[in-house]
């Protein structure tokens, strides 16, 4: 499971500056966005190809850091104008947040163009962007082995038809539980999962925040708890880190059987738990594969009957 | 693990008539109450001793049915007047409920008196009643091996001092996650659990509804998912069935080590899942030990890495 044996993971999503109001304090101009978090997470397991857009205000140093992690940034377009900005305020217990401001800036005209050498990418993560852009990316890729997509309430309520086209063309949908219920228009999670799988994706990964995550596939249901943290700092990007970790782990083994998916789900949960421990990508960018493996073992012990 | 080898479980709590407004329809005069649900659940594993109060309107047939299940009903006092009544309306998705009416009736003057032969009970479940009554019951028992107690927001906010006395005298507190946060005045579940364990109970069992349950003990944290049901009918009594199943399973093995607690937590989750499948005790009262064991295996497969 070394980088040399890993297939590359193509990740498309946003890159952003976030202004975060957190119980631990406020932070401005935090580098974020779904592609950033997912790329750092996936790069723990092997090579990554990133597709996104940044403005002329985006620091070269961040792109250089990504390159140093094995992320090919040649699909990150630098456009004239400002980088996407998001501002949000979290509740005292981090259980909820409100968006204070969104400035799409260069992201408003984002039209992902894949470098020629990205077009054979076997593993693809379509981050949470407009489903028409997700389709556009897919049309540029030749015979991917595994395509996962994330989505959100804005597209579920406003772009259901295009989102339906995406669902027919992906292997795995990664979605949070409330969005799953909205997409299926069914509250019961098991029946909602069956209804969404009937729309196309062979597998469904449901993110449930502090309550963990679930996989629905042809073998049944699999459950992974969230790692119980004593110090939660910033949940921003945890879902993207989860998705990036999932794809990175799968690409590193090359297997897509039920057990590989289950192991990757646990790994994704371990990676996402680190993300929450620091503001922005601070903690996520600092961890090693060994630390992730240690946390994976802790997660396993959470559900293991025998105790030492 | 036969009834013959099991230690008896003493269960004190309420017996009631419930009027339930459910998405599947309305049901009046449903026999319920924490002692009823917990006794039926515990009786799946071995002998039970029930302590409660009913009015002169309570049917003998229900007490006879309990007796047939191995529940010693000689601690159920029949008082002049009406049985405790509760009326509630569930939301369309069963995720929340409102109380429409509460009539304490004979429960208002409940003063539990244990029959002499109950006083050596080794396993004790103090259902969710006033903490002063829980203390009163404890004072009547000689050297119990294992005492678990449930509680609720009313006692946490209004009877904190007496509840504190209960916490110092029990082994295990069984509580839902919101009540844990209220009791600890800490949102983070791991730190809240540590704070409550510092108040007395060696172990803490946290019920999280559809998200499962957690055990905090000297070995660390253990997590059990809720069984994902396709048809949820009535969550009334699920928490009491969970607690009854937990105590019944522990008493049936006689072991209180970390592994026994973990296995009992899984068994409790399996038992509680059946309760939700029918109105009132209808489904719970219908299941066999074999069915519980089969569901336990399904629960284990939910968290097991290898798939068939």
């Amino acid at each position: 499971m070394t980088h040399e044996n890993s297939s590359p993971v193509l990740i498309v999503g946003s890159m952003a500056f976030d202004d975060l109001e957190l119980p631990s304090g406020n932070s401005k101009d935090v580098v974020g966005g779904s592609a950033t978090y997912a790329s750092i997470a996936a790069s723990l397991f092997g090579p990554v190809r990133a597709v996104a857009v940044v403005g002329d205000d985006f620091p070269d140093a961040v792109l250089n850091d990504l390159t140093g992690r094995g992320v090919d940034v040649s699909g990150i377009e630098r456009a004239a104008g400002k980088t996407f900005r998001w501002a949000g305020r979290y509740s005292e217990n981090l259980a909820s947040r409100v968006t204070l401001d969104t400035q799409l800036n260069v992201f408003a005209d984002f039209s992902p163009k894949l470098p020629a050498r990205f077009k054979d990418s076997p593993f693809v993560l379509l981050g949470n962007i407009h489903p028409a852009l997700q389709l556009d990316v897919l049309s540029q890729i030749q015979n991917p082995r595994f395509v996962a997509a994330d989505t959100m309430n804005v597209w579920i309520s406003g772009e259901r038809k295009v989102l339906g086209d995406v669902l027919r063309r992906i292997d795995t949908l990664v979605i949070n539980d409330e969005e799953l219920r909205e997409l299926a228009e069914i509250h019961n999670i098991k029946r909602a999962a069956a209804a969404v799988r009937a729309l196309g994706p062979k597998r469904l990964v449901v993110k449930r925040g502090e309550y963990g995550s679930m996989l629905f596939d042809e073998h049944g249901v699999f459950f992974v708890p969230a790692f119980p943290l004593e110090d939660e700092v910033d949940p921003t990007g945890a879902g993207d880190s989860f998705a990036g970790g999932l794809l990175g782990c799968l690409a590193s083994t090359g297997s897509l059987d039920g057990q590989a998916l289950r192991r990757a789900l646990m790994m994704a949960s371990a990676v996402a738990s680190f993300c929450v421990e620091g503001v922005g990508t601070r903690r996520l960018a600092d961890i090693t594969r060994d630390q992730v493996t240690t946390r994976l073992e802790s997660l396993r012990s959470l559900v293991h009957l025998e105790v030492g």
Side-chain angles (χ1 to χ4, degrees), chain A:
Chain A
M1 218 192 282
T2 62
H3 283 208
E4 289 69 31
N5 296 328
S6 286
S7 302
V9 180
L10 177 83
I11 293 172
V12 56
S14 60
M15 297 187 78
F17 290 119
D18 295 337
D19 292 341
L20 307 172
E21 297 190 16
L22 295 159
S24 55
N26 299 344
S27 296
K28 283 194 172 292
D29 302 333
V30 178
V31 173
S34 60
T36 309
Y37 286 103
S39 293
I40 296 174
S43 73
L44 281 160
F45 302 92
V48 174
R49 298 164 171 177
V51 176
V53 62
V54 297
D56 42 34
D57 55 351
F58 200 82
D60 278 330
V62 174
L63 300 179
N64 292 340
D65 174 78
L66 287 173
T67 302
R69 294 174 187 279
V71 180
D72 185 334
V73 300
S74 60
I76 301 177
E77 176 192 349
R78 190 182 283 276
K82 288 184 178 174
T83 299
F84 176 43
R85 293 195 79 94
W86 178 79
R89 177 186 298 144
Y90 285 87
S91 63
E92 194 55 42
N93 57 31
L94 294 172
S96 63
R97 72 181 190 191
V98 289
T99 290
L100 300 174
D101 190 29
T102 303
Q103 296 174 21
L104 289 177
N105 297 330
V106 297
F107 198 64
D109 299 313
F110 182 38
S111 173
K113 274 168 217 71
L114 269 55
R117 71 173 178 282
F118 282 16
K119 298 191 177 193
D120 65 349
S121 298
F123 289 81
V124 179
L125 173 59
L126 302 170
N128 172 25
I129 55 176
H130 193 293
L133 296 185
Q134 293 178 322
L135 284 178
D136 187 13
V137 170
L138 274 186
S139 72
Q140 299 177 54
I141 300 175
Q142 297 139 5
N143 293 317
R145 267 192 74 199
F146 182 85
V147 179
D150 194 353
T151 193
M152 73 185 291
N153 51 357
V154 179
W155 319 127
I156 292 168
S157 57
E159 298 288 349
R160 190 170 276 265
K161 192 178 166 303
V162 190
L163 181 57
D165 292 338
V166 172
L167 293 178
R168 274 187 289 281
R169 294 193 52 188
I170 62 175
D171 300 285
T172 299
L173 180 67
V174 181
I175 193 170
N176 77 37
D177 51 355
E178 284 316 309
E179 288 160 355
L180 166 64
R181 284 165 168 154
E182 195 179 333
L183 178 58
E185 297 178 331
I186 295 171
H187 184 85
N188 179 284
I189 203 155
K190 197 168 179 185
R191 282 189 282 128
V196 168
R197 288 180 64 208
L199 300 176
K202 190 177 166 192
R203 301 177 200 87
L204 186 69
V205 171
V206 183
K207 299 176 287 182
R208 306 202 292 178
E210 69 162 311
Y211 298 111
S213 53
M214 297 174 86
L215 167 72
F216 295 84
D217 69 3
E218 74 271 31
H219 302 288
V221 188
F222 183 65
F223 185 89
V224 176
F227 185 77
L229 294 169
E230 275 185 53
D231 290 295
E232 298 158 292
V233 175
D234 176 13
T236 312
D240 302 311
S241 307
F242 180 93
L246 184 77
L247 273 278
C249 181
L250 285 174
S252 74
T253 66
S255 170
L256 291 172
D257 65 21
Q259 192 171 336
L261 260 294
R262 281 154 176 74
R263 191 162 186 283
L265 201 76
M266 282 209 137
M267 201 68 97
S269 184
V271 171
S273 73
F274 284 108
C275 181
V276 179
E277 291 184 315
V279 174
T281 63
R282 196 171 302 169
R283 179 76 173 126
L284 181 68
D286 200 42
I287 55 171
T288 63
R289 263 299 288 282
D290 280 352
Q291 286 174 292
V292 177
T293 304
T294 302
R295 187 153 290 182
L296 181 82
E297 289 311 310
S298 300
L299 272 175
R300 292 192 70 166
S301 77
L302 276 181
V303 295
H304 197 63
L305 265 186
E306 282 79 36
V307 290

